[in-house]
Amino acid sequence: MVDSENGVDSKTESVSFLNRFNLSLEEGYQVALNVFKLGKDGGKFSYEEKIKLAALWRQSTHGPFSADKFGEIGFFDFVGNDRRKAWQALGDMEKEEAKREFCQELSAVRQEEMEQVADKVREAKQLAKEAREREEAERKLAEEAERKAREEAERQAREAAERKLKEEQERREREAAQHQAAAMAQRQDQLADRDRQQRELIEAQRQQLQSSQQYQQHSDVEQNSQDTRHGAEQVDGAMKIAPPEVWSRPERADFIAQMKQDPEAVIVLGHGETVTVKAVTNPAGSRMFWEFATENYDLAFGVSFQWPAENSTEGPIVEILPSERRPSHQVVIGGSHDYPGSGTYLIQFDNTYSVLRAKTVYYRVYYAA
């Protein structure tokens, strides 16, 4: 709209005012509205200015004129009629255009008041902007501090978990090493005790054999008699031999583990099968020893002695220990026997009574002086 008196475009004037104070249309309109209310109440506007400004205010608030928006007025209500005519004169002007026109009119008639209020609004906007900027900066600083604190807490928690895991692993390794060392020490002590007991047993048997009259007779016969059947006597035409010593001990698992290290100390008997181990007397020895055990089932066991052959005839066999089922799956079965003379011990493992099960035998045979 162009002012008919000075040819100034109201839109250009209002935009210039808004730009000068860096205000939006709505902010400039509020400034003009405040100046209008203060001036209207203080009598600073002429009648024509009030009528025109009121019409622009209604147009910017309610849009184009309509009777239902304005209400009934009396015939002699001259002010009401002037107000209605002023509003009607604005026609279909848009609300935004009415706001610009309102700002232009106020800026023209009350420029100083408009500038004062605009300065206050601008100052308030600047303060609000600065406050928002401070709040934003403080918010960012708080977020950054919170982020760093969270990251530090996570790092500390992670390091604590890693330290705990490492300490637990080291503790388990120490316990495992201590347990292994203790087990090895215990195992070594057990082996040392078993070896000591075995040596003591052999020594006791040797001393018993050396001190016995039978051993002395055996030595005399060995040196002076051509008969190789020493340590035996003939009764009613049959060779008689002194009985063996037999024993058992409970360390079956350890004995089996030790024997497994030597493949020649292991025999597998099929069902119904018999295996005989031959042990020839050694001139350096005077007593024969045997020990054996099985894993899951018992086994029949017996020992015989065969004299040397004479005149191409196989030497006679004398039973020393009858073949009977022994609880070798529960204990280690052992025994020893003084040499009756030169010959061969026939150590028999008998599984003929079993028609279904095979047996694994772990054994050893040795001599002592």
Side-chain angles (χ1 to χ4, degrees):
M1 175 180 289
V2 177
D3 191 324
S4 58
E5 295 181 358
N6 53 27
V8 178
D9 190 336
S10 63
K11 180 176 181 180
T12 302
E13 178 66 22
S14 61
V15 169
S16 177
F17 166 76
L18 297 175
N19 290 339
R20 187 167 69 253
F21 292 97
N22 193 24
L23 301 175
S24 66
L25 174 61
E26 188 62 32
E27 290 170 341
Y29 176 69
Q30 293 298 325
V31 170
L33 194 61
N34 288 332
V35 172
F36 173 66
K37 290 180 179 179
L38 292 173
K40 182 182 67 173
D41 295 338
K44 296 180 179 180
F45 297 106
S46 65
Y47 177 78
E48 291 78 8
E49 290 172 344
K50 287 183 179 180
I51 294 298
K52 186 175 183 179
L53 289 172
L56 290 171
W57 171 78
R58 287 186 175 87
Q59 187 79 7
S60 64
T61 303
H62 303 290
F65 172 84
S66 64
D68 57 339
K69 294 177 183 178
F70 193 80
E72 294 292 334
I73 57 175
F75 179 78
F76 294 103
D77 186 355
F78 301 109
V79 175
N81 282 291
D82 289 342
R83 289 176 177 174
R84 182 176 63 181
K85 290 178 182 179
W87 190 4
Q88 288 176 329
L90 297 177
D92 295 330
M93 179 185 292
E94 297 290 338
K95 290 183 178 181
E96 289 188 357
E97 181 64 22
K99 290 180 179 181
R100 291 191 185 93
E101 182 72 13
F102 188 80
C103 292
Q104 190 272 337
E105 290 293 334
L106 263 296
S107 179
V109 299
R110 290 291 182 269
Q111 182 177 357
E112 183 178 353
E113 290 89 336
M114 286 283 287
E115 290 178 353
Q116 291 175 354
V117 175
D119 284 337
K120 292 180 180 180
V121 171
R122 183 174 57 185
E123 182 179 353
K125 281 182 62 178
Q126 183 63 28
L127 292 175
K129 179 181 178 182
E130 292 175 355
R132 287 195 301 273
E133 290 176 350
R134 284 194 302 272
E135 290 177 358
E136 181 65 16
E138 291 173 356
R139 182 186 65 79
K140 289 182 178 180
L141 289 174
E143 290 179 351
E144 181 66 15
E146 182 180 359
R147 182 186 64 79
K148 290 182 178 180
R150 183 171 61 252
E151 291 177 351
E152 179 63 17
E154 292 175 352
R155 184 187 65 79
Q156 293 179 359
R158 184 169 59 254
E159 291 178 354
E162 291 175 352
R163 284 196 304 272
K164 185 176 180 180
L165 180 62
K166 184 178 180 180
E167 291 172 356
E168 179 67 16
Q169 184 177 359
E170 291 176 349
R171 182 186 64 80
R172 290 181 180 178
E173 291 176 353
R174 286 196 303 270
E175 291 179 353
Q178 293 172 357
H179 179 74
Q180 184 178 6
M184 290 180 64
Q186 184 179 7
R187 176 65 176 166
Q188 291 174 355
D189 291 343
Q190 291 175 347
L191 292 175
D193 290 342
R194 186 164 60 249
D195 291 343
R196 178 181 54 78
Q197 292 172 1
Q198 185 174 355
R199 288 194 301 271
E200 291 176 353
L201 176 61
I202 293 174
E203 179 64 20
Q205 291 173 343
R206 187 185 65 79
Q207 292 177 0
Q208 181 181 5
L209 182 62
Q210 288 177 347
S211 63
S212 66
Q213 184 178 4
Q214 180 181 1
Y215 178 79
Q216 185 62 45
Q217 291 174 352
H218 163 70
S219 299
D220 294 341
V221 173
E222 182 70 19
Q223 294 176 6
N224 302 316
S225 176
Q226 295 180 357
D227 189 352
T228 59
R229 304 180 182 89
H230 301 291
E233 58 179 346
Q234 192 169 11
V235 180
D236 297 331
M239 299 301 296
K240 296 295 182 179
I241 298 180
E245 292 187 11
V246 295
W247 64 81
S248 64
R249 56 188 180 90
E251 298 89 352
R252 185 184 63 85
D254 290 340
F255 176 80
I256 290 177
Q258 184 179 2
M259 293 300 102
K260 282 183 176 180
Q261 298 177 7
D262 182 5
E264 295 184 359
V266 182
I267 298 175
V268 178
L269 279 74
H271 56 83
E273 184 180 3
T274 299
V275 172
T276 300
V277 176
K278 295 182 179 182
V280 179
T281 57
N282 192 304
S286 63
R287 192 171 182 86
M288 186 67 70
F289 292 83
W290 59 82
E291 285 186 314
F292 77 96
T294 54
E295 287 185 324
N296 299 315
Y297 306 101
D298 63 357
L299 186 67
F301 175 78
V303 180
S304 299
F305 184 82
Q306 184 175 21
W307 298 96
E310 295 182 357
N311 301 324
S312 301
T313 302
E314 191 172 288
I317 298 176
V318 182
E319 184 180 72
I320 296 176
L321 185 65
S323 180
E324 296 178 358
R325 295 175 67 172
R326 317 283 178 177
S328 54
H329 62 305
Q330 297 175 343
V331 293
V332 178
I333 304 297
S336 66
H337 187 256
D338 289 332
Y339 287 179
S342 298
T344 302
Y345 282 90
L346 306 177
I347 299 172
Q348 185 181 70
F349 301 104
D350 184 4
N351 196 33
T352 55
Y353 64 90
S354 179
V355 297
L356 296 176
R357 296 188 178 94
K359 309 289 176 61
T360 301
V361 185
Y362 304 90
Y363 78 98
R364 65 179 173 180
V365 177
Y366 56 96
Y367 68 88

